[in-house]
């Protein structure tokens, strides 16, 4: 089922004595989630991700704007009538109930015409447990499970009513690195199998990029960019988005456009015909550097970090905002570091230029 958010705004009244301004957690948020897709809602702490989920599931009411599930306007519908499954970061399992009882819980609360027989409830609970592969653990209590298993119980409990929409709020943050990787693939598999429209909240860009059909990057309650993960990575609309996506992060230089030449310090790194002369921010992805004895960009060599298939050439430059520049190149490339200088040419498709004031991307018409 598709979800439409229409000019959604959520304002919280100020409580502080000194600060009388309201907090606008979500500001004029509009976007459409296509049926059956997994959307990653991504942004730094406090950017309004959880508030957006709370508005979607009905735990909070928007100050203005509407929410549609399919053709239904659900804005004024209470949470329990929206058909939403919610998985919290903390799992929120009932410690005194077994795994089976935890999964059964949402079904036991159905009333009136929705009430199910004991047999049907058990069947549905076992099916959800099978889907997340915990059907062997039904008699255990949450304290007898690993973090990853507890997370699966939480997902089974959210899925047991076959919700119209599944919302996952930082579901992997309590797991260790390996389990995170494994569980995020599991979530993707379950989502593909059930085809439930899903919104996944995380501040971890790698996580969002790896499992989402589309990502929504937020900053201070405002959508910055929506798109397929690769498209957003390759075409960030502003410096914030460029910085937020990518590990190692993009290398940002203070530079200028001067007579159709893109300059970092005294080095002309690219020709950029047709662009107005001005001071700019220049972002270079780590994979955008090509070591080249005659390359235009001169950096001070610091060292090499071995990463296996690739290496990271670490250097510095007085115009670079990052403490260290990281250039990712293939392990068998030659790097000349004579006199502690390393020279690079840049791949034009991996270089982005941003307005110095607004930080919006300046389109380049490359030579
Ligand atoms: P995190 O990643 O840290 O969970 P988030 O992106 O989910 O952050 P939200 O929890 O949605 O961010 O909060 C967005 C903003 O709204 C923050 O500035 C937060 O302090 C504020 N906020 C959230 N809930 C309330 C509330 N009930 N009352 C007042 N302000 C709130």
């Amino acid at each position: 089922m598709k979800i439409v958010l229409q000019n959604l705004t959520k304002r919280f009244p100020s409580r502080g004595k000194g600060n009388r301004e309201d907090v606008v957690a979500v500001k004029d948020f509009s976007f459409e989630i296509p049926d059956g897709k997994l959307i990653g809602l991504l942004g730094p702490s406090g950017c309004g991700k959880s508030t957006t989920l709370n508005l979607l599931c009905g735990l909070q009411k928007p100050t203005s704007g509407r929410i549609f599930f399919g053709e239904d306007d659900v804005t004024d519908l209470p949470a329990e009538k929206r058909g939403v499954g919610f998985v919290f970061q903390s799992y929120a399992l009932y410690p005194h109930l077994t795994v089976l009882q935890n999964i059964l819980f949402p079904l036991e609360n159905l009333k009136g015409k929705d009430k199910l027989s004991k047999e049907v409830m058990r069947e549905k609970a076992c099916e959800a447990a099978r889907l997340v592969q915990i059907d062997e653990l039904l008699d255990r209590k949450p304290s007898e499970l690993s973090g990853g298993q507890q997370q699966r119980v939480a997902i089974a409990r959210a899925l047991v009513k076959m919700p119209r929409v599944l919302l996952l709020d930082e579901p992997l943050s309590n797991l260790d690195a390996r389990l995170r990787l494994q569980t995020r693939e599991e979530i993707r598999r379950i989502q593909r199998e059930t085809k439930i429209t899903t919104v996944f909240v995380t501040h971890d860009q790698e996580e969002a990029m790896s499992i989402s059909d589309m990502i929504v990057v937020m900053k201070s309650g405002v959508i910055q960019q929506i798109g397929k993960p690769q498209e957003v990575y390759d075409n960030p609309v502003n410096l914030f988005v460029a910085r937020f996506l990518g590990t190692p992060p993009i290398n940002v230089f203070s530079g200028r456009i001067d007579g159709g030449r893109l300059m970092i310090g005294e080095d002309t790194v690219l020709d950029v015909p047709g662009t107005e002369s001005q001071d700019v921010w220049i972002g270079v992805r780590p994979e955008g550097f090509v070591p080249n004895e005659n390359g235009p960009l001169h950096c001070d060599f610091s060292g090499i970090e071995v990463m296996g298939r690739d290496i990271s050439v670490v250097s510095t430059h007085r115009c670079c905002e990052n403490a260290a520049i990281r250039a990712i190149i293939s392990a068998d490339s030659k790097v000349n570091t004579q006199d502690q200088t390393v020279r690079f040419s840049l791949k034009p498709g991996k270089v982005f230029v941003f307005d110095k004031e607004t930080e919006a991307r300046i389109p380049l018409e490359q030579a």
Side-chain angles (χ1 to χ4, degrees):
M1 193 188 48
K2 88 172 175 193
I3 304 175
V4 179
L5 305 184
Q6 229 174 50
N7 307 103
L8 219 52
T9 293
K10 179 66 184 175
R11 210 174 257 283
F12 293 109
S14 139
R15 293 237 171 80
K17 276 186 187 152
N19 183 2
R20 285 169 192 279
E21 273 190 33
D22 289 355
V23 177
V24 186
V26 172
K27 194 170 173 189
D28 201 19
F29 203 98
S30 291
F31 82 102
E32 186 174 317
I33 306 175
D35 181 27
K37 296 291 182 199
L38 194 158
I39 302 299
L41 208 54
L42 181 63
S45 181
C47 73
K49 305 181 294 293
S50 300
T51 305
T52 308
L53 279 200
N54 291 341
L55 294 172
L56 273 170
C57 77
L59 283 177
Q60 285 170 347
K61 283 204 109 190
T63 312
S64 58
R66 312 297 308 171
I67 303 169
F68 295 86
F69 286 180
E71 299 308 315
D72 302 340
D73 183 340
V74 298
T75 320
D76 299 316
L77 217 55
E80 64 278 10
K81 298 226 165 114
R82 290 195 186 188
V84 168
F86 204 130
V87 179
F88 298 92
Q89 177 179 350
S90 59
Y91 317 144
L93 299 177
Y94 302 109
H96 58 289
L97 300 182
T98 63
V99 167
L100 179 63
Q101 289 165 336
N102 263 286
I103 302 174
L104 278 170
F105 195 82
L107 299 179
E108 283 170 340
N109 277 340
L110 294 175
K111 304 251 156 48
K113 66 174 176 37
D114 295 329
K115 201 167 164 53
L116 300 172
S117 70
K118 279 215 152 51
E119 294 72 49
V120 174
M121 283 197 282
R122 198 183 159 93
E123 217 171 279
K124 283 182 181 286
C126 290
E127 198 183 311
R130 254 195 311 278
L131 192 65
V132 299
Q133 296 169 350
I134 47 160
D135 36 336
E136 310 270 288
L137 308 172
L138 293 177
D139 297 327
R140 294 212 200 159
K141 296 268 176 67
S143 61
E144 296 160 349
L145 301 176
S146 72
Q149 289 165 338
Q150 290 184 38
Q151 186 56 289
R152 283 159 193 250
V153 179
I155 295 172
R157 190 179 55 181
L159 287 175
V160 74
K161 282 203 283 184
M162 272 302 147
R164 302 200 282 176
V165 177
L166 181 62
L167 305 177
L168 304 162
D169 194 357
E170 303 252 7
L172 308 178
S173 43
N174 292 343
L175 307 180
D176 68 38
R178 244 181 106 134
L179 208 50
R180 274 180 92 112
L181 214 68
Q182 196 186 335
T183 315
R184 83 184 185 202
E185 280 158 20
E186 279 288 285
I187 289 177
R188 188 58 179 149
R189 175 187 64 78
I190 294 162
Q191 196 273 332
R192 286 224 167 101
E193 264 178 63
T194 57
K195 299 191 178 67
I196 297 174
T197 310
T198 300
V199 183
F200 180 101
V201 158
T202 177
H203 61 269
D204 181 336
Q205 54 92 21
E206 199 189 324
E207 199 162 278
M209 301 260 292
S210 66
I211 69 165
S212 311
D213 294 307
M214 268 180 20
I215 54 171
V216 178
V217 185
M218 295 179 70
K219 178 190 171 194
S220 311
V222 180
I223 294 179
Q224 303 293 300
Q225 192 165 0
I226 302 176
K228 291 188 178 153
Q230 193 68 46
E231 281 171 14
V232 179
Y233 180 81
D234 289 338
N235 265 311
V237 295
N238 59 31
L239 184 57
F240 175 83
V241 174
R243 274 199 162 122
F244 203 75
L245 300 184
T247 351
I250 195 162
N251 302 281
V252 180
F253 297 85
S254 176
R256 67 190 188 284
I257 297 173
D258 193 349
R261 294 175 310 156
L262 186 63
M263 317 239 351
I264 295 176
E266 300 314 310
D267 302 333
T268 300
V269 291
L270 285 180
D271 284 332
V272 287
T275 32
E276 207 179 301
S277 294
Q278 60 191 297
D279 287 341
V280 291
W281 293 116
I282 301 169
V284 185
R285 291 276 183 222
E287 65 277 21
F289 295 89
V290 182
N292 175 351
E293 282 177 4
N294 304 310
L297 180 64
H298 295 64
C299 298
D300 298 319
F301 178 71
S302 314
I304 300 270
E305 287 171 354
V306 178
M307 301 164 77
R309 194 163 46 87
D310 296 325
I311 55 172
S312 167
V313 181
V314 186
S315 62
T316 57
H317 191 288
R318 66 183 169 81
C319 298
C320 190
E321 295 283 298
N322 308 44
I325 299 166
R326 283 195 161 70
I328 306 293
I329 58 170
S330 154
D332 29 75
S333 314
K334 292 243 174 316
V335 187
N336 187 336
T337 57
Q338 224 173 10
D339 303 327
Q340 291 299 299
T341 297
V342 55
R343 292 178 64 172
F344 297 105
S345 35
L346 303 181
K347 296 180 191 166
K350 296 289 175 185
V351 178
F352 310 123
V353 177
F354 304 96
D355 187 285
K356 200 80 194 232
E357 296 297 314
T358 65
E359 301 190 349
R361 176 103 170 268
I362 299 174
L364 299 181
E365 158 203 326
Q366 252 126 30

